[in-house]
């Protein structure tokens, strides 16, 4: 038993060391990633569940080194801890807005673009300047842009972050609360901030018609949003049933693998534009 215990400790230490090295590796590689143009944006279609028509996209970052594509869960947290997220975030804003500008050329009904912004970026006004400069530069109306925030951003709730969020909405962009229904999202948070869209987290999509817990939860969140005058987007729509459920609840917009996975700019242009 003693021997086993020791082995386990060794394995544990090995694992810790491996994790530490992996982090360090990513931190160092991140420093070169922008200059080497290794970041790409993928775009996931946002759909009106009633007629399955396209209303816009969410931009989701990918990091490609040679043929290996890293997803955000492998590097966003590290980028936040090392403040590198600020520079990455500015790149995301410009790339997403310039792409939207291109896609909306000559469209009768313009598409929207949702951009994920980290709590770290809401620490100074650079983000506000970047958004307004890009809107001007690429001639995109502000109301087509939805800045997606998480609970963490609202929890910071400093004077500065309040002013930054206010400036973003005064500029005409929408603010949306991501992962709604998880964590500590409370009515207080919602009414204390200029949020006007909530995204119901994918973990709340009912598994089937017997999943009364999630069905009730989503219904509750939707009616709460309606009382507060917030628009709703459902995430994680993976099946026809999910899509019908969204229709039933009058959820205006939805995203998920049922409609489309996030795709490269090239693939989106081929399929949708
Ligand atoms: P999120 O904003 O909640 O994005 C939704 C995630 O769910 C995406 O993962 C998307 O690919 C995935 N997804 C979409 N449809 C479905 C579905 O039907 N079923 C399931 N199971 N998953 C679905 P992804 O692209 O790996 O992004 C993960 C997270 O990384 C995002 O969560 C967001 O918080 C963060 N992130 C992504 N891009 C950026 C960015 O440019 N900046 C910042 N700060 N964070 C980003
Ligand atoms: Ca999001
Ligand atoms: Ca989400
Ligand atoms: Ca998330």
């Amino acid at each position: 038993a003693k021997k086993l215990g020791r082995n386990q400790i060794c394995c544990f230490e090995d694992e810790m060391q491996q994790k530490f090295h992996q982090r360090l590796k990513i931190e160092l590689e991140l420093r070169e990633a922008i200059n080497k143009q290794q970041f790409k944006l993928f775009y996931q279609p946002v759909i009106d569940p009633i007629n399955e028509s396209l209303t816009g996209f969410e931009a989701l970052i990918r990091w490609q080194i040679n043929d290996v594509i890293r997803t955000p869960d492998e590097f966003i947290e590290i980028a936040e801890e090392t403040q590198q997220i600020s520079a990455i975030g500015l790149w995301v804003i410009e790339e997403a807005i310039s792409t939207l500008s291109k896609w909306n050329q000559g469209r009768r009904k313009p598409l929207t673009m949702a951009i994920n912004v980290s709590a770290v970026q809401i620490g100074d006004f650079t983000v506000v300047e970047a958004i307004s400069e890009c809107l001007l530069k690429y001639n995109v109306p502000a109301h087509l842009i939805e800045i997606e925030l998480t609970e963490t951003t609202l929890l910071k709730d400093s004077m500065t972050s309040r002013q930054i969020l206010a400036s973003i909405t005064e500029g005409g962009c929408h603010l949306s609360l991501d992962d709604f229904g998880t964590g500590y999202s409370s009515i207080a948070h919602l009414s204390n901030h200029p949020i006007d869209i909530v995204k119901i987290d994918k973990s709340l999509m009912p598994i089937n018609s017997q999943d009364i817990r999630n069905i009730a939860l989503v219904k509750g969140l939707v009616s709460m949003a309606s009382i507060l005058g917030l628009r709703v987007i459902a995430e994680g729509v993976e099946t026809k049933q999910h899509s019908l459920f969204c229709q039933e609840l009058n959820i205006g917009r939805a995203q998920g693998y049922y409609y489309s996975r996030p795709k490269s700019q090239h693939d989106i242009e081929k399929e949708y534009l």
Side-chain angles (χ1 to χ4, degrees), residues 95-112:
E95 180 70 13
I97 293 178
S98 66
T99 303
L100 183 68
S101 167
K102 181 181 176 209
W103 288 350
N104 276 339
Q105 297 291 321
R107 268 189 93 88
R108 200 171 41 83
K109 202 162 171 280
L111 302 164
T112 59

PDB file of all heavy atoms in Angstrom, residues 95-112:
ATOM      1  N   GLU A  95     -10.580  42.121 -36.730  1.00  0.00           N
ATOM      2  CA  GLU A  95     -10.838  41.038 -37.683  1.00  0.00           C
ATOM      3  C   GLU A  95     -12.344  40.787 -37.840  1.00  0.00           C
ATOM      4  O   GLU A  95     -12.849  40.654 -38.951  1.00  0.00           O
ATOM      5  CB  GLU A  95     -10.119  39.769 -37.198  1.00  0.00           C
ATOM      6  CG  GLU A  95     -10.285  38.559 -38.076  1.00  0.00           C
ATOM      7  CD  GLU A  95      -9.560  38.653 -39.414  1.00  0.00           C
ATOM      8  OE1 GLU A  95      -8.708  39.563 -39.575  1.00  0.00           O
ATOM      9  OE2 GLU A  95      -9.864  37.829 -40.294  1.00  0.00           O
ATOM     10  N   ALA A  96     -13.064  40.757 -36.716  1.00  0.00           N
ATOM     11  CA  ALA A  96     -14.501  40.464 -36.771  1.00  0.00           C
ATOM     12  C   ALA A  96     -15.260  41.595 -37.463  1.00  0.00           C
ATOM     13  O   ALA A  96     -16.147  41.351 -38.295  1.00  0.00           O
ATOM     14  CB  ALA A  96     -15.056  40.240 -35.360  1.00  0.00           C
ATOM     15  N   ILE A  97     -14.913  42.825 -37.139  1.00  0.00           N
ATOM     16  CA  ILE A  97     -15.638  43.960 -37.731  1.00  0.00           C
ATOM     17  C   ILE A  97     -15.309  44.100 -39.217  1.00  0.00           C
ATOM     18  O   ILE A  97     -16.206  44.353 -40.029  1.00  0.00           O
ATOM     19  CB  ILE A  97     -15.357  45.264 -36.944  1.00  0.00           C
ATOM     20  CG1 ILE A  97     -15.969  45.146 -35.531  1.00  0.00           C
ATOM     21  CG2 ILE A  97     -15.915  46.488 -37.676  1.00  0.00           C
ATOM     22  CD1 ILE A  97     -15.743  46.338 -34.622  1.00  0.00           C
ATOM     23  N   SER A  98     -14.053  43.904 -39.591  1.00  0.00           N
ATOM     24  CA  SER A  98     -13.725  44.024 -41.015  1.00  0.00           C
ATOM     25  C   SER A  98     -14.396  42.912 -41.825  1.00  0.00           C
ATOM     26  O   SER A  98     -14.880  43.149 -42.936  1.00  0.00           O
ATOM     27  CB  SER A  98     -12.210  44.050 -41.239  1.00  0.00           C
ATOM     28  OG  SER A  98     -11.649  42.817 -40.887  1.00  0.00           O
ATOM     29  N   THR A  99     -14.462  41.729 -41.259  1.00  0.00           N
ATOM     30  CA  THR A  99     -15.134  40.619 -41.957  1.00  0.00           C
ATOM     31  C   THR A  99     -16.629  40.904 -42.107  1.00  0.00           C
ATOM     32  O   THR A  99     -17.210  40.695 -43.184  1.00  0.00           O
ATOM     33  CB  THR A  99     -14.923  39.296 -41.199  1.00  0.00           C
ATOM     34  OG1 THR A  99     -13.530  39.064 -41.061  1.00  0.00           O
ATOM     35  CG2 THR A  99     -15.557  38.125 -41.934  1.00  0.00           C
ATOM     36  N   LEU A 100     -17.245  41.408 -41.049  1.00  0.00           N
ATOM     37  CA  LEU A 100     -18.674  41.712 -41.128  1.00  0.00           C
ATOM     38  C   LEU A 100     -18.942  42.765 -42.206  1.00  0.00           C
ATOM     39  O   LEU A 100     -19.912  42.668 -42.968  1.00  0.00           O
ATOM     40  CB  LEU A 100     -19.215  42.203 -39.781  1.00  0.00           C
ATOM     41  CG  LEU A 100     -20.726  42.463 -39.788  1.00  0.00           C
ATOM     42  CD1 LEU A 100     -21.499  41.152 -39.929  1.00  0.00           C
ATOM     43  CD2 LEU A 100     -21.177  43.214 -38.540  1.00  0.00           C
ATOM     44  N   SER A 101     -18.063  43.764 -42.257  1.00  0.00           N
ATOM     45  CA  SER A 101     -18.209  44.822 -43.254  1.00  0.00           C
ATOM     46  C   SER A 101     -18.241  44.227 -44.658  1.00  0.00           C
ATOM     47  O   SER A 101     -19.103  44.548 -45.479  1.00  0.00           O
ATOM     48  CB  SER A 101     -17.049  45.809 -43.102  1.00  0.00           C
ATOM     49  OG  SER A 101     -16.980  46.657 -44.204  1.00  0.00           O
ATOM     50  N   LYS A 102     -17.320  43.321 -44.903  1.00  0.00           N
ATOM     51  CA  LYS A 102     -17.247  42.649 -46.205  1.00  0.00           C
ATOM     52  C   LYS A 102     -18.537  41.856 -46.466  1.00  0.00           C
ATOM     53  O   LYS A 102     -19.125  41.944 -47.542  1.00  0.00           O
ATOM     54  CB  LYS A 102     -16.028  41.719 -46.195  1.00  0.00           C
ATOM     55  CG  LYS A 102     -15.808  40.974 -47.485  1.00  0.00           C
ATOM     56  CD  LYS A 102     -14.601  40.046 -47.385  1.00  0.00           C
ATOM     57  CE  LYS A 102     -14.464  39.233 -48.664  1.00  0.00           C
ATOM     58  NZ  LYS A 102     -13.830  37.922 -48.429  1.00  0.00           N
ATOM     59  N   TRP A 103     -18.975  41.101 -45.483  1.00  0.00           N
ATOM     60  CA  TRP A 103     -20.144  40.231 -45.663  1.00  0.00           C
ATOM     61  C   TRP A 103     -21.432  41.023 -45.849  1.00  0.00           C
ATOM     62  O   TRP A 103     -22.386  40.528 -46.444  1.00  0.00           O
ATOM     63  CB  TRP A 103     -20.279  39.277 -44.473  1.00  0.00           C
ATOM     64  CG  TRP A 103     -19.225  38.200 -44.467  1.00  0.00           C
ATOM     65  CD1 TRP A 103     -18.351  37.926 -45.487  1.00  0.00           C
ATOM     66  CD2 TRP A 103     -18.933  37.275 -43.420  1.00  0.00           C
ATOM     67  NE1 TRP A 103     -17.533  36.879 -45.129  1.00  0.00           N
ATOM     68  CE2 TRP A 103     -17.871  36.458 -43.870  1.00  0.00           C
ATOM     69  CE3 TRP A 103     -19.463  37.047 -42.146  1.00  0.00           C
ATOM     70  CZ2 TRP A 103     -17.325  35.437 -43.099  1.00  0.00           C
ATOM     71  CZ3 TRP A 103     -18.931  36.032 -41.371  1.00  0.00           C
ATOM     72  CH2 TRP A 103     -17.868  35.226 -41.846  1.00  0.00           C
ATOM     73  N   ASN A 104     -21.474  42.230 -45.318  1.00  0.00           N
ATOM     74  CA  ASN A 104     -22.713  43.010 -45.424  1.00  0.00           C
ATOM     75  C   ASN A 104     -22.793  43.864 -46.690  1.00  0.00           C
ATOM     76  O   ASN A 104     -23.823  44.480 -46.949  1.00  0.00           O
ATOM     77  CB  ASN A 104     -22.902  43.893 -44.177  1.00  0.00           C
ATOM     78  CG  ASN A 104     -23.550  43.129 -43.031  1.00  0.00           C
ATOM     79  OD1 ASN A 104     -24.202  42.104 -43.249  1.00  0.00           O
ATOM     80  ND2 ASN A 104     -23.359  43.613 -41.812  1.00  0.00           N
ATOM     81  N   GLN A 105     -21.721  43.863 -47.472  1.00  0.00           N
ATOM     82  CA  GLN A 105     -21.737  44.631 -48.727  1.00  0.00           C
ATOM     83  C   GLN A 105     -22.930  44.202 -49.573  1.00  0.00           C
ATOM     84  O   GLN A 105     -23.065  43.037 -49.910  1.00  0.00           O
ATOM     85  CB  GLN A 105     -20.455  44.376 -49.560  1.00  0.00           C
ATOM     86  CG  GLN A 105     -19.168  44.817 -48.924  1.00  0.00           C
ATOM     87  CD  GLN A 105     -19.032  46.325 -48.832  1.00  0.00           C
ATOM     88  OE1 GLN A 105     -19.418  47.041 -49.748  1.00  0.00           O
ATOM     89  NE2 GLN A 105     -18.509  46.810 -47.710  1.00  0.00           N
ATOM     90  N   GLY A 106     -23.783  45.164 -49.905  1.00  0.00           N
ATOM     91  CA  GLY A 106     -24.879  44.883 -50.824  1.00  0.00           C
ATOM     92  C   GLY A 106     -25.976  43.992 -50.267  1.00  0.00           C
ATOM     93  O   GLY A 106     -26.825  43.512 -51.016  1.00  0.00           O
ATOM     94  N   ARG A 107     -25.964  43.745 -48.967  1.00  0.00           N
ATOM     95  CA  ARG A 107     -27.040  42.932 -48.387  1.00  0.00           C
ATOM     96  C   ARG A 107     -28.215  43.823 -48.030  1.00  0.00           C
ATOM     97  O   ARG A 107     -28.051  44.887 -47.459  1.00  0.00           O
ATOM     98  CB  ARG A 107     -26.566  42.256 -47.093  1.00  0.00           C
ATOM     99  CG  ARG A 107     -25.991  40.892 -47.283  1.00  0.00           C
ATOM    100  CD  ARG A 107     -25.780  40.263 -45.921  1.00  0.00           C
ATOM    101  NE  ARG A 107     -26.934  39.471 -45.539  1.00  0.00           N
ATOM    102  CZ  ARG A 107     -27.090  38.203 -45.861  1.00  0.00           C
ATOM    103  NH1 ARG A 107     -26.173  37.587 -46.565  1.00  0.00           N
ATOM    104  NH2 ARG A 107     -28.163  37.547 -45.485  1.00  0.00           N
ATOM    105  N   ARG A 108     -29.406  43.350 -48.321  1.00  0.00           N
ATOM    106  CA  ARG A 108     -30.596  44.125 -47.985  1.00  0.00           C
ATOM    107  C   ARG A 108     -30.767  44.170 -46.459  1.00  0.00           C
ATOM    108  O   ARG A 108     -31.006  45.221 -45.881  1.00  0.00           O
ATOM    109  CB  ARG A 108     -31.819  43.473 -48.647  1.00  0.00           C
ATOM    110  CG  ARG A 108     -33.020  44.379 -48.796  1.00  0.00           C
ATOM    111  CD  ARG A 108     -34.088  43.701 -49.648  1.00  0.00           C
ATOM    112  NE  ARG A 108     -34.228  42.281 -49.325  1.00  0.00           N
ATOM    113  CZ  ARG A 108     -34.960  41.812 -48.313  1.00  0.00           C
ATOM    114  NH1 ARG A 108     -35.631  42.634 -47.556  1.00  0.00           N
ATOM    115  NH2 ARG A 108     -35.031  40.514 -48.082  1.00  0.00           N
ATOM    116  N   LYS A 109     -30.653  42.990 -45.839  1.00  0.00           N
ATOM    117  CA  LYS A 109     -30.785  42.935 -44.393  1.00  0.00           C
ATOM    118  C   LYS A 109     -29.416  42.596 -43.793  1.00  0.00           C
ATOM    119  O   LYS A 109     -28.934  41.468 -43.931  1.00  0.00           O
ATOM    120  CB  LYS A 109     -31.810  41.858 -44.015  1.00  0.00           C
ATOM    121  CG  LYS A 109     -32.392  42.060 -42.647  1.00  0.00           C
ATOM    122  CD  LYS A 109     -33.695  41.272 -42.468  1.00  0.00           C
ATOM    123  CE  LYS A 109     -34.144  41.329 -41.015  1.00  0.00           C
ATOM    124  NZ  LYS A 109     -33.394  40.366 -40.161  1.00  0.00           N
ATOM    125  N   PRO A 110     -28.769  43.592 -43.161  1.00  0.00           N
ATOM    126  CA  PRO A 110     -27.405  43.355 -42.682  1.00  0.00           C
ATOM    127  C   PRO A 110     -27.341  42.325 -41.556  1.00  0.00           C
ATOM    128  O   PRO A 110     -28.280  42.168 -40.775  1.00  0.00           O
ATOM    129  CB  PRO A 110     -26.951  44.727 -42.180  1.00  0.00           C
ATOM    130  CG  PRO A 110     -28.201  45.487 -41.910  1.00  0.00           C
ATOM    131  CD  PRO A 110     -29.245  44.954 -42.861  1.00  0.00           C
ATOM    132  N   LEU A 111     -26.213  41.619 -41.493  1.00  0.00           N
ATOM    133  CA  LEU A 111     -26.009  40.591 -40.471  1.00  0.00           C
ATOM    134  C   LEU A 111     -25.333  41.191 -39.239  1.00  0.00           C
ATOM    135  O   LEU A 111     -24.638  42.206 -39.331  1.00  0.00           O
ATOM    136  CB  LEU A 111     -25.128  39.481 -41.047  1.00  0.00           C
ATOM    137  CG  LEU A 111     -25.686  38.807 -42.299  1.00  0.00           C
ATOM    138  CD1 LEU A 111     -24.594  38.011 -43.012  1.00  0.00           C
ATOM    139  CD2 LEU A 111     -26.860  37.897 -41.919  1.00  0.00           C
ATOM    140  N   THR A 112     -25.541  40.558 -38.105  1.00  0.00           N
ATOM    141  CA  THR A 112     -24.915  41.016 -36.864  1.00  0.00           C
ATOM    142  C   THR A 112     -23.638  40.218 -36.592  1.00  0.00           C
ATOM    143  O   THR A 112     -23.443  39.135 -37.141  1.00  0.00           O
ATOM    144  CB  THR A 112     -25.869  40.816 -35.671  1.00  0.00           C
ATOM    145  OG1 THR A 112     -26.191  39.427 -35.579  1.00  0.00           O
ATOM    146  CG2 THR A 112     -27.156  41.616 -35.845  1.00  0.00           C
TER     147      THR A 112
END
